[in-house]
Amino acid sequence: MNGSIYERELMNILTGTKNTLDRITKNLDPVSKDVVYTMMDKPFYVARAAGSFGADLVALRDDYSLVIEVKSSSRSQLTFSEASGTKQDQALKLHNRCILSGLFITYAYRLKNYKGDFWRFFSIESDYQYRGKMRGLYELLPKQEITRTGNYILRWEGGLPLTTLVNYLNS
């Protein structure tokens, strides 16, 4: 499937689109379903900003501003050294652009063919001192790993589950 399908899926989750929430919660326990459905009460305004070296989604609400890069794979590990290092270059550029605005890049990693809570969230390690609610969110998000050669890796199982993220954002 084309990655834009997952960008739209995440956009619809964050905007609280009921039919998407119904579909993605089919294999979740009742408590997790209830958490995800809270997005209908506190939705984000989400714009798709896809481009070759920009973020995929920008999600805004009165209390949070999220710059999101969506990744999807049937493998449980994404290595940024793939594609001749363009993923790594993109990550560094996005990270640096976000810091100038006091924001951080959020990686949304969708594991294909997984039954359950298939979204995981990460950020990139930074020395920047975030403030307010953004600081709490940044500290909650697991950070990317770095290989011996300095390339980023996202390991899906180490990410923050969607239900945990939504619960935090709406608490």
Side-chain angles (χ1 to χ4, degrees), residues 64 130-141 168:
Y64 291 103
Y130 297 99
R131 294 180 284 177
K133 286 189 170 194
M134 292 300 287
R135 180 179 183 165
L137 178 57
Y138 176 77
E139 290 174 359
L140 177 70
L141 289 169
Y168 179 84

Side-chain angles (χ1 to χ4, degrees), residues 7 31 68 73 75 94 103 105-106 110 113 119 126 156:
E7 291 169 17
V31 172
I68 304 170
S73 179
R75 295 178 294 142
L94 282 171
L103 301 171
I105 188 72
T106 300
R110 168 63 150 81
N113 305 316
W119 283 101
S126 175
W156 183 85

Side-chain angles (χ1 to χ4, degrees), residues 37-54:
Y37 278 101
T38 65
M39 289 308 304
M40 292 172 60
D41 299 325
K42 287 189 81 174
F44 281 82
Y45 171 82
V46 182
R48 288 188 66 221
S52 52
F53 286 101

Side-chain angles (χ1 to χ4, degrees), residues 42-166:
K42 287 189 81 174
F44 281 82
Y45 171 82
V46 182
R48 288 188 66 221
S52 52
F53 286 101
D56 295 318
L57 301 173
V58 176
L60 305 169
R61 198 168 71 181
D62 63 343
D63 50 354
Y64 291 103
S65 300
L66 304 174
V67 179
I68 304 170
E69 179 67 17
V70 176
K71 300 292 184 190
S72 62
S73 179
S74 56
R75 295 178 294 142
S76 64
Q77 176 178 304
L78 284 176
T79 306
F80 284 52
S81 60
E82 297 168 2
S84 303
T86 56
K87 288 181 184 178
Q88 182 82 10
D89 292 341
Q90 178 189 29
L92 293 170
K93 286 177 184 175
L94 282 171
H95 174 68
N96 291 331
R97 287 179 65 198
C98 285
I99 284 177
L100 292 173
S101 302
L103 301 171
F104 54 84
I105 188 72
T106 300
Y107 279 92
Y109 183 177
R110 168 63 150 81
L111 187 62
K112 298 176 185 178
N113 305 316
Y114 180 81
K115 299 263 189 253
D117 190 348
F118 38 69
W119 283 101
R120 296 293 184 268
F121 296 84
F122 302 84
S123 192
I124 292 178
E125 190 69 45
S126 175
D127 292 332
Y128 186 83
Q129 297 298 309
Y130 297 99
R131 294 180 284 177
K133 286 189 170 194
M134 292 300 287
R135 180 179 183 165
L137 178 57
Y138 176 77
E139 290 174 359
L140 177 70
L141 289 169
K143 307 308 179 271
Q144 89 294 346
E145 294 179 37
I146 300 176
T147 66
R148 284 177 276 138
T149 57
N151 291 305
Y152 295 161
I153 294 179
L154 299 180
R155 296 184 200 279
W156 183 85
E157 62 276 353
L160 185 72
L162 172 68
T163 52
T164 305
L165 176 66
V166 169

